[in-house]
Structures are given as C-alpha cells and as structure tokens.
Amino acid sequence: MAAKTEESTLGYEQARDELIEVVRRLEAGGTTLEESLALWERGEELAKVCRHWLEGARRRLDAALSEGEDQGAAAGDTED
C-alpha cells in the first residue's frame, strides 16, 4: 500500500534524482550496515516508482503510435 502512495506522490524526476543520491551514498561507503540496508531498501522503492512511470510512458507512446497507424491506414483506404 505504501508503494502505491509513493507512486502517486513522487514524480519520475524526483524519484530518479533521489535514487541517484542513494546510489552515490552507497558507492561512497562509510555507512553502517543498518544504514546501507535502509539505503538499499529505499533505492529499491525508488526504482519501482521510476519503473512504474516509465512503463506508463511506454503504454502511452504505444497507444499514440498505434492510433497514428490506424489513422494512417484509414486515410490510405479513403484515398484509393
């Protein structure tokens, strides 16, 4: 349930930027095991949010392309 709330409140760019920061902190090291695990879990949540946004964008693009092809085919049929 928390993931759904997260997806609806975080925009793609915001989630991506926070994910970049999480990765940077993990790569830099110097955190305790507990902090590293918390960062990893947050990163997984953020990656899921980004994936959700990207999948939605892909669906919209596919629909627009399909609609354009359908209209193009219909226009081609009427020109003959």
Side-chain angles (χ1 to χ4, degrees):
M1 183 75 160
K4 284 293 182 194
T5 303
E6 190 81 26
E7 289 172 1
S8 63
T9 58
L10 275 180
Y12 172 77
E13 290 81 5
Q14 184 181 4
R16 182 205 56 213
D17 291 348
E18 188 177 340
L19 180 56
I20 290 169
E21 179 62 20
V22 165
V23 170
R24 186 195 63 72
R25 289 181 61 195
L26 284 169
E27 288 178 339
T31 57
T32 66
L33 177 60
E34 189 64 32
E35 291 168 333
S36 294
L37 287 172
L39 285 168
W40 180 270
E41 290 170 345
R42 180 62 180 157
E44 288 291 329
E45 292 172 9
L46 292 165
K48 192 179 294 186
V49 171
C50 289
R51 202 167 26 254
H52 170 79
W53 279 104
L54 292 172
E55 288 168 357
R58 170 53 62 194
R59 283 191 299 272
R60 289 176 61 191
L61 285 171
D62 289 345
L65 290 172
S66 176
E67 184 178 305
E69 289 173 0
D70 291 346
Q71 289 177 356
D77 290 343
T78 60
E79 291 179 8
D80 288 342

